[in-house]
Amino acid sequence: MLRTLSSYFLRTLREDPADAEVASHKLLVRAGYIRRTAPGVYTWLPLGLRVLRKVEDIVREEMDRMGGHEVHFPALLPAEPYKATHRWDDYGPTLFTLKDRKDGDYLLAPTHEEMFTLLVKDMYSSYKDLPLTLYQIQTKYRDEARPRAGLIRGREFVMKDAYSFDVDDAGLDASYQAERDAYERIFHRLGLEYVIVSAMSGAMGGSRSEEFLHPSDIGEDTYVCSAGGYAANAEAVTTPVPDALPMDGIPEAQVLPTPDSPTIESLVNLANELHPRADRPWHAGDTLKNVVVTLTHPGGDKELLVIGVPGDRGVDMKRVEAAVAPAEVDMASAEDLATHPELVAGYIGPQAIGPNSPLRTVDEDGAIGGSVRYLLDPRIVDGTTWITGANKIDHHVFYLTKGRDFDGDGTIEAAEVCEGDPAPDGSGPLHLARGIEIGHIFQLGRKYAQALGLTVLDENGKARTVTMGSYGIGVSRVMAALAEANHDDQGLAWPANIAPFDVHVLATGKGDEVFDAAASIAATLDELGFDVLYDDRRKVSAGVKFADAELVGIPVALVVGRGLADGKVEIRLRASGDKVEVPVAEAVDTVRRLHASLLVGE
């Protein structure tokens, strides 16, 4: 149906919203697609809903094409299934919870694995019913501590989640591949660049896990790739472990004064000045940095953890979070350190922590206590020597040797991944980039089926636990990623496949003949099946109309203005900026041809 701008529910803004940090957030608000309701929560306006529905339609078509069956669960769910799988606790404070008038526990669903599992359990009982893929497009809720970037990290968001159900692992592999192929078709049709990287499963659980990332400088995910084909989210990168080194000839560890050197840089400078080594200068990689974090485990119990990494690297908190999930991680505060006086801020050394501490205890059941747990970067192998804290202000210990003078309670992938690090598979040095997560697929295995009792009878009449896969696309986040990828200084420039309208007709004159011609062309395009937005506002200047058209970002604009006196109209392509004047009689056919050239096929 033809829409006229004079009656359309749309108001554009000339100034960026105060809370907007990234281009997609600024432009989606200014162009009248969304409005902020609360931090991380947005109202969808007519333009925004039109784009969102077109993204959903492409996702839905490809899910149906690969054999999925669409269902729709409520967002408000009872707590019992999530307690059975322990995710009621595992999600921690990111879970929105509430009680009904009868004091029953409920939640606003962050994902629906439990409900899909129970639905299949309720309806299917034989191996003949499988394989099966169910999906929904639903609103989800997560109480993000720091919602940001508009639709990219919100507390309410639209997601497509799908789940496959198979009798065996071979079936799961086939379902996983079918879903992976469908994702590639979806993002191709959306015109959205993507890379596929290995990833962590996190609170979802499971084994194989891959993310679809849209490369973007404003992305929250760091990913790596090598010339040899390795690609992974930085959280999933594993460190090649070097061989242990011989300890013969290593000097004895000695505590030396290092006044005013609480940082790695100051320590290295002072070590080279006061305590130089004979073979080469000390550098940051010779120091052992011990970082204290606080873990909050499901249920609320807190634990201090010390992480040892080479001093030429920082600790990547997202890698720490992935390694210790479902616990939540924060940097330890001064109050946290005060509970362990053996931890001297700026001078923490292994001698006072982990298995090296005189405070370490082991009870008759094997439970370890007393000292703070100590985990080491995998590069810190036996025979490596370090300068590190001596647990005394203005003092460090030199030549402290792993395996001789100290050990850890285990290893942890917590150090930041750096440009040029070796790929874990030996395929060359790593290159770092940033991306927006737009999809994530998991092989869940039998975690949820076992917890909720989902079995089917096999061909021999024996009960078999079903194996599952989980596949998500952030539909509203995809819209934000498309806005990030398709804009300029003037506004949005939507791909034709998902634009809110196909053609924007503008009447940019004052005489009736301009508006009559524009209305006639708009009506003809509408009759031919184009979605048309007609700017019929009579008391708005041509400059304002052009600015609004560029801001809203419809791919093809047809301008009826001063050229009409010569029997011509102007057609503009928003993304390229190309313009062409054509006779009025050729306008519709030209629009049809140009718009067809912009569409991305399947």
Side-chain angles (χ1 to χ4, degrees), residues 297-451:
H297 295 282
D301 291 340
K302 290 193 173 184
E303 175 196 6
L304 283 190
L305 173 68
V306 180
I307 298 171
V309 298
D312 58 351
R313 294 175 186 265
V315 168
D316 184 333
M317 292 299 281
K318 293 192 74 171
R319 278 170 60 80
V320 177
E321 289 168 0
V324 302
E328 291 198 329
V329 185
D330 288 296
M331 294 299 295
S333 65
E335 291 75 16
D336 294 324
L337 293 176
T339 64
H340 284 270
E342 72 275 17
L343 303 179
V344 180
Y347 298 90
I348 297 171
Q351 308 93 314
I353 50 181
N356 319 291
S357 171
L359 301 176
R360 174 57 59 96
T361 62
V362 181
D363 65 21
E364 59 185 13
D365 296 322
I368 296 173
S371 64
V372 176
R373 198 154 54 103
Y374 187 37
L375 299 179
L376 296 169
D377 182 88
R379 300 173 188 82
I380 303 172
V381 297
D382 286 356
T384 53
T385 62
W386 307 91
I387 304 174
T388 190
N391 304 298
K392 181 180 178 182
I393 292 176
D394 289 339
H395 287 76
H396 283 81
V397 58
F398 287 61
Y399 298 105
L400 196 73
T401 302
K402 167 69 167 62
R404 184 190 72 181
D405 305 315
F406 75 98
D407 280 300
D409 289 306
T411 61
I412 184 172
E413 293 285 2
E416 62 184 358
V417 180
C418 296
E419 185 80 20
D421 281 349
D425 64 353
S427 60
L430 295 177
H431 170 65
L432 273 65
R434 299 195 67 80
I436 300 169
E437 182 186 342
I438 52 177
H440 203 160
I441 56 180
F442 308 83
Q443 288 192 348
L444 292 176
R446 296 170 176 80
K447 172 183 175 179
Y448 295 93
Q450 287 176 339

Side-chain angles (χ1 to χ4, degrees), residues 75-385:
L76 177 65
L77 298 175
E80 286 74 19
Y82 288 79
K83 290 180 178 179
T85 60
H86 306 293
R87 292 209 299 171
W88 178 264
D89 293 321
D90 288 353
Y91 264 108
T94 62
L95 197 67
F96 279 106
T97 62
L98 64 156
K99 290 183 178 290
D100 67 6
R101 66 181 65 196
K102 296 181 180 179
D103 207 35
D105 287 326
Y106 285 79
L107 70 148
L108 297 177
T111 57
H112 280 78
E113 281 82 358
E114 287 81 354
M115 305 314 297
F116 276 88
T117 305
L118 290 173
L119 179 63
V120 175
K121 178 182 178 181
D122 180 48
M123 297 184 66
Y124 277 3
S125 60
S126 169
Y127 75 99
K128 296 179 182 179
D129 298 322
L130 305 180
L132 170 70
T133 295
L134 301 177
Y135 77 94
Q136 67 170 345
I137 298 175
Q138 226 313 7
T139 303
K140 311 286 183 164
Y141 299 88
R142 294 179 191 170
D143 192 1
E144 295 282 357
R146 291 172 291 276
R148 63 173 293 274
L151 300 179
I152 290 176
R153 179 177 286 277
R155 297 197 293 170
E156 178 186 79
F157 53 95
V158 180
M159 181 178 174
K160 185 282 299 180
D161 50 333
Y163 301 87
S164 63
F165 301 85
D166 289 277
V167 174
D168 54 29
D169 292 342
L172 173 57
D173 287 341
S175 294
Y176 185 94
Q177 188 61 48
E179 195 83 30
R180 195 178 192 269
D181 293 342
Y183 274 39
E184 295 207 60
R185 293 194 298 270
I186 288 168
F187 295 126
H188 170 71
R189 290 181 61 188
L190 290 170
L192 192 59
E193 182 186 0
Y194 66 90
V195 294
I196 306 174
V197 302
S198 299
M200 302 286 283
S201 297
M204 301 283 286
S207 51
R208 186 180 179 187
S209 173
E210 291 177 294
E211 285 179 348
F212 287 71
L213 300 178
H214 168 63
S216 172
D217 290 340
I218 63 98
E220 292 187 312
D221 286 80
T222 299
Y223 69 94
V224 301
C225 54
S226 72
Y230 177 82
N233 189 302
E235 298 167 22
V237 175
T238 55
T239 303
V241 180
D243 294 332
L245 300 176
M247 300 185 197
D248 300 338
I250 298 176
E252 290 298 314
Q254 52 182 321
V255 175
L256 298 171
T258 52
D260 300 320
S261 58
T263 67
I264 296 298
E265 182 179 4
S266 62
L267 174 60
V268 170
N269 290 338
L270 190 140
N272 283 316
E273 178 185 352
L274 299 183
H275 312 293
R277 54 188 294 169
D279 53 344
R280 60 171 175 79
W282 297 105
H283 55 76
D286 296 318
T287 67
L288 175 58
K289 181 191 303 182
N290 294 300
V291 178
V292 189
V293 298
T294 302
L295 307 185
T296 303
H297 295 282
D301 291 340
K302 290 193 173 184
E303 175 196 6
L304 283 190
L305 173 68
V306 180
I307 298 171
V309 298
D312 58 351
R313 294 175 186 265
V315 168
D316 184 333
M317 292 299 281
K318 293 192 74 171
R319 278 170 60 80
V320 177
E321 289 168 0
V324 302
E328 291 198 329
V329 185
D330 288 296
M331 294 299 295
S333 65
E335 291 75 16
D336 294 324
L337 293 176
T339 64
H340 284 270
E342 72 275 17
L343 303 179
V344 180
Y347 298 90
I348 297 171
Q351 308 93 314
I353 50 181
N356 319 291
S357 171
L359 301 176
R360 174 57 59 96
T361 62
V362 181
D363 65 21
E364 59 185 13
D365 296 322
I368 296 173
S371 64
V372 176
R373 198 154 54 103
Y374 187 37
L375 299 179
L376 296 169
D377 182 88
R379 300 173 188 82
I380 303 172
V381 297
D382 286 356
T384 53
T385 62

Side-chain angles (χ1 to χ4, degrees), residues 472-483:
I473 288 179
V475 176
S476 51
R477 182 181 286 184
V478 161
M479 180 173 158
L482 284 163

Side-chain angles (χ1 to χ4, degrees), residues 9 19 49 76 88 205 226 228 339 391 509-510 514 556 573 581:
F9 188 62
D19 63 330
L49 275 176
L76 177 65
W88 178 264
S226 72
T339 64
N391 304 298
K510 296 181 179 180
V514 169
V556 180
L573 298 184
E581 272 197 332

